[in-house]
Amino acid sequence: DISLLKEPFLSKVKLFLAELDRVGFKYAISETLRTPAVQAAYFAQGRKPLDEVNKLRVAAGLWKITEAENKNKITWTLKSKHLEGLAIDLVPTKDGKLWWNAPDSLWKQMSDISDKFDIESGYTWKTKDSPHFEDL
């Protein structure tokens, strides 16, 4: 829900999404504002045993994950801008489904468009987080 984002970031995001729409980019919003409980559960993934991770996930209102999924770290910090309403995750779609493994060129296109609105893209980071866009 983009209405959970804080101004002036919300206004930038609206312009960014309008530009994605204008160029015909297909995408879905996967996340905006996170609670501290969700962030803690995400941070535990790939760092703590599965039973601990799933306890945190259930407490945060998330679904349980498998041992295989718990091998993947999905966030690098407990201080994400998602906690402040200053970040959004966008994923390209294909045939109406989230396209997490979209070609690099699509993630780069989204990143290039975000630059026009002073929105930083995780695509440009040393450790890429391509779906992540945050306020500068």
Side-chain angles (χ1 to χ4, degrees):
D1 181 359
I2 68 168
S3 70
L4 298 173
L5 299 174
K6 288 186 182 171
E7 289 292 358
F9 184 60
L10 173 58
S11 292
K12 291 182 192 181
V13 167
K14 286 179 178 179
L15 293 170
F16 173 39
L17 298 179
E19 181 65 7
L20 290 175
D21 293 341
R22 188 188 70 73
V23 300
F25 201 93
K26 303 292 185 217
Y27 63 91
I29 297 168
S30 67
E31 198 161 25
T32 57
L33 182 68
R34 285 184 196 152
T35 66
V38 168
Q39 189 68 27
Y42 286 172
F43 187 76
Q45 186 173 327
R47 293 178 177 86
K48 293 190 176 193
L50 181 62
D51 62 329
E52 288 181 46
V53 170
N54 277 332
K55 283 179 187 173
L56 288 167
R57 290 181 64 86
V58 169
L62 301 169
W63 59 93
K64 290 182 178 181
I65 61 171
T66 66
E67 191 69 53
E69 291 170 308
N70 196 39
K71 292 180 181 183
N72 301 317
K73 293 178 182 174
I74 59 170
T75 189
W76 306 105
T77 182
L78 286 170
K79 297 180 180 181
S80 172
K81 286 195 176 183
H82 281 285
L83 295 168
E84 305 168 56
L86 297 174
I88 186 170
D89 291 342
L90 301 173
V91 183
T93 59
K94 183 177 182 180
D95 301 324
K97 296 179 183 174
L98 297 178
W99 194 11
W100 292 102
N101 62 345
D104 193 64
S105 60
L106 288 181
W107 296 107
K108 182 179 183 327
Q109 181 183 9
M110 289 176 74
S111 177
D112 290 346
I113 293 170
S114 75
D115 285 345
K116 297 177 185 178
F117 303 101
D118 293 325
I119 296 173
E120 184 175 9
S121 168
Y123 173 84
T124 64
W125 298 348
K126 183 178 178 183
T127 302
K128 284 186 182 179
D129 185 359
S130 298
H132 183 86
F133 298 87
E134 70 181 34
D135 200 20
L136 289 176

